[in-house]
Amino acid sequence: GLICITAGMTCVMLTGGIDISVGSLVAMDCMILAVGIEQWGWSSPALMILILAIGIVFGIVQGFCISYLEIQPFIVTMAGMFFARGMTAVICKEQVSIVSDKIFTTLSSFKISLPFGGYMNKKGVMQYPYLRVTVVVALIVVLAIYLMLKYTRFGRSIYAVGGNQQSATLMGLDVKKTQMKAYILSSFLTSIGGICYCLNTMAGTTTQATGLEMDAISSVIGGTLLTGGVGNVLGSLFGVLINGTISTLVKTNGKLISSWSNIVTAILLCFFIVLQSVFALIKERKNK
């Protein structure tokens, strides 16, 4: 789920913007899925389509406020964050577990076995590595965004807008339209990430995905400049993997408390920001 969200965040940050509403949108998506299946009696495919539609509408509203009304991205997405988190509690205040939908539970437990890298366990049974549906979806999203940024007109427009808005306008690009599309894409991919997140947790709660936006931003900063215009989605993918590795190492080490993963992430975040500032200064001096 985080990889899908990070891919969308990369597009937004390449335009020089930011989106801190993603964690709350994921929580709302999970709650809609859980309550929709268990209490409203909807089918999971219908709910997934609804969630993707909500993501698009969410992106249109935020994108319009940021690009056409020229309100600061941080303010708009913070309002979006509070709205989505509040709506999650309005839908249901209790934790709702998904157990009754066969399609959703099958997708959650489905594994794609790989024919290589197997090993013999202690009981003498051959174990092969496998991929879950969520991992396959995340990889498809990363590949699609990578190709979009590299080979399409919209992808080049995102880089141009993030690099210099005035130059992009002089080149004949519609800066506002590009910014709006980037936020729509971000919210749409966040909704895909929300479905993947729910497939992993099989539940909806009001506190779900708290701080997920910070994980996404810290992952993106590893491969994308904060000012926009420079970066790619592969750098963001590695950022997610580094974050995941740190978190796993901390959790598997019995001597360290879970808070250490947040501390290490904060140190890495500061390191990347300082590194970006150093590169920006070097670039400035070269231009002079």
Side-chain angles (χ1 to χ4, degrees):
L2 182 58
I3 291 172
C4 298
I5 295 157
T6 305
M9 185 73 79
T10 303
C11 297
V12 164
M13 289 182 75
L14 280 171
T15 64
I18 197 165
D19 187 352
I20 61 167
S21 68
V22 293
S24 300
L25 184 57
V26 166
M28 188 171 76
D29 291 342
C30 290
M31 188 62 85
I32 290 169
L33 269 168
V35 173
I37 289 168
E38 297 301 325
Q39 295 179 16
W40 302 341
W42 286 37
S43 67
S44 54
L47 283 164
M48 287 181 199
I49 293 165
L50 174 66
I51 281 165
L52 295 177
I54 288 168
I56 292 167
V57 172
F58 206 82
I60 289 168
V61 173
Q62 290 196 146
F64 180 79
C65 291
I66 291 162
S67 55
Y68 289 95
L69 301 182
E70 296 182 3
I71 305 169
Q72 282 294 321
F74 186 84
I75 302 297
V76 173
T77 56
M78 185 168 66
M81 177 181 76
F82 286 127
F83 172 79
R85 189 65 69 178
M87 280 303 296
T88 307
V90 167
I91 295 162
C92 187
K93 291 179 182 177
E94 308 297 322
Q95 180 174 324
V96 182
S97 298
I98 300 168
V99 289
S100 63
D101 191 283
K102 286 182 180 178
I103 296 170
F104 207 75
T105 49
T106 304
L107 275 173
S108 176
S109 57
F110 187 73
K111 296 172 184 176
I112 302 163
S113 295
L114 301 175
F116 53 85
Y119 66 95
M120 196 78 72
N121 66 9
K122 291 177 182 179
K123 293 178 180 178
V125 180
M126 198 67 179
Q127 297 284 329
Y128 288 97
Y130 61 85
L131 295 175
R132 292 196 180 274
V133 174
T134 51
V135 176
V136 176
V137 170
L139 293 174
I140 291 168
V141 166
V142 168
L143 181 63
I145 297 300
Y146 174 77
L147 294 173
M148 182 272 290
L149 287 172
K150 194 165 186 180
Y151 298 109
T152 68
R153 190 170 182 269
F154 175 54
R156 289 191 290 271
S157 299
I158 284 174
Y159 281 109
V161 168
N164 191 312
Q165 286 191 16
Q166 288 179 330
S167 299
T169 307
L170 291 169
M171 285 163 63
L173 295 174
D174 192 333
V175 172
K176 291 180 178 180
K177 194 176 179 182
T178 303
Q179 283 179 323
M180 187 166 172
K181 282 183 178 178
Y183 280 94
I184 294 167
L185 182 61
S186 174
S187 293
F188 178 72
L189 292 178
T190 299
S191 287
I192 294 174
I195 294 166
C196 293
Y197 196 94
C198 197
L199 281 167
N200 287 332
T201 58
M202 291 300 286
T205 65
T206 53
T207 56
Q208 212 161 22
T210 306
L212 193 68
E213 56 279 340
M214 292 301 113
D215 289 335
I217 292 165
S218 64
S219 299
V220 173
I221 285 173
T224 304
L225 276 179
L226 278 166
T227 49
V230 179
N232 63 69
V233 75
L234 294 180
S236 303
L237 173 63
F238 282 113
V240 173
L241 295 175
I242 289 165
N243 265 346
T245 305
I246 291 164
S247 182
T248 305
L249 287 171
V250 169
K251 283 173 186 175
T252 52
N253 190 321
K255 294 177 183 178
L256 295 172
I257 54 170
S258 59
S259 305
W260 273 102
S261 61
N262 294 334
I263 293 164
V264 176
T265 302
I267 292 165
L268 280 173
L269 193 59
C270 292
F271 171 73
F272 285 129
I273 290 166
V274 170
L275 204 64
Q276 285 189 14
S277 300
V278 170
F279 284 135
L281 283 169
I282 292 167
K283 192 178 178 182
E284 234 178 84
R285 286 181 181 178
K286 278 184 179 179
N287 291 338
K288 284 177 182 179

